[in-house]
Amino acid sequence: MAKIILPISNGFEEIEAISIIDVCRRANIEVTIAAVEDLTTIGAHNIKIQADCKIEDISSDDFDMIVLPGGLPNAFTLADNEKVQSLLKEFKSKKKKIAAICAAPYALHKADVLNENFTCYPSFENKIKIDGYHENDAVVIDNDVITSRGPATAMIFALEIVNMLCDEETYTSVKDGLLMADY
């Protein structure tokens, strides 16, 4: 069974975090929510999530992928947190998979793990880099790094994570069960 770590802090984007958690768990991917601040974390729209553990308790050896949801100030907190930045660098050096959506590709940029091609929430490319930015793509996959634009693309993004970590049968089953076959 594939395992992902999802770091969150206050101000995370709820649609993105919950979509990732839900879709991945439907594919039997083990998702661990790691709090950067308190175990009870409050999203950008005042929805609370109880994390499974603190980010300090996480080892990159235990996971296949790290996935960062966006939202503010969450994206900036993840970009400034030493443990998150260290984990991102470890995942990259171990050739493990990395994903970020919305404003969170900024945290990948700060860790110097973002590949050439990426997408993000419009305007955040100005904080990252213009070269390699795909403004019209819902999801961009560049080797082991997946990026996506924002809340409306969260389900597509989560399915691409499933596609990357699971077999075709699981991916198709989850996609069809979500009625995403036509998107």
Side-chain angles (χ1 to χ4, degrees):
M1 173 189 301
K3 295 181 178 184
I4 66 172
I5 182 69
L6 187 116
I8 61 170
S9 63
N10 291 318
F12 68 91
E13 172 51 59
E14 293 97 336
I15 290 173
E16 295 162 2
I18 296 299
S19 294
I20 294 161
I21 294 163
D22 182 280
V23 171
C24 288
R25 286 184 177 168
R26 287 172 191 252
N28 292 317
I29 296 170
E30 185 179 313
V31 180
T32 300
I33 305 164
V36 172
E37 297 161 330
D38 297 325
L39 284 176
T40 300
T41 304
I42 302 171
H45 303 96
N46 295 316
I47 297 173
K48 294 178 185 176
I49 286 189
Q50 183 70 28
D52 300 308
C53 63
K54 297 284 283 185
I55 194 70
E56 294 82 15
D57 300 329
I58 296 301
S59 167
S60 62
D61 293 334
D62 298 332
F63 297 93
D64 303 297
M65 180 179 236
I66 185 169
V67 182
L68 278 56
L72 295 178
N74 178 65
F76 293 129
T77 303
L78 299 179
D80 292 336
N81 182 273
E82 289 180 26
K83 178 65 176 185
V84 172
Q85 291 292 295
S86 173
L87 284 169
L88 288 168
K89 291 173 184 176
E90 289 173 31
F91 272 76
K92 182 77 166 189
S93 71
K94 294 175 181 179
K95 299 189 184 327
K96 292 186 174 197
K97 298 174 184 354
I98 299 170
I101 185 170
C102 193
Y106 177 70
L108 304 188
H109 169 70
K110 286 276 298 235
D112 197 28
V113 301
L114 188 64
N115 288 336
E116 181 181 341
N117 297 295
F118 74 101
T119 193
C120 61
Y121 192 84
S123 79
F124 261 79
E125 75 277 6
N126 296 319
K127 297 181 184 321
I128 299 171
K129 61 179 182 168
I130 301 300
D131 293 340
Y133 172 60
H134 294 240
E135 73 177 292
N136 296 316
D137 293 334
V139 175
V140 173
I141 301 171
D142 190 343
N143 294 315
D144 289 333
V145 178
I146 305 173
T147 53
S148 189
R149 293 174 48 90
T153 63
M155 187 79 69
I156 299 165
F157 175 66
L159 280 167
E160 285 302 328
I161 292 168
V162 170
N163 194 28
M164 188 174 265
L165 294 176
C166 299
D167 59 34
E168 184 68 28
E169 181 180 346
T170 301
Y171 167 73
T172 301
S173 175
V174 172
K175 184 177 178 185
D176 290 348
L178 293 168
L179 305 179
M180 289 289 290
D182 297 329
Y183 298 99

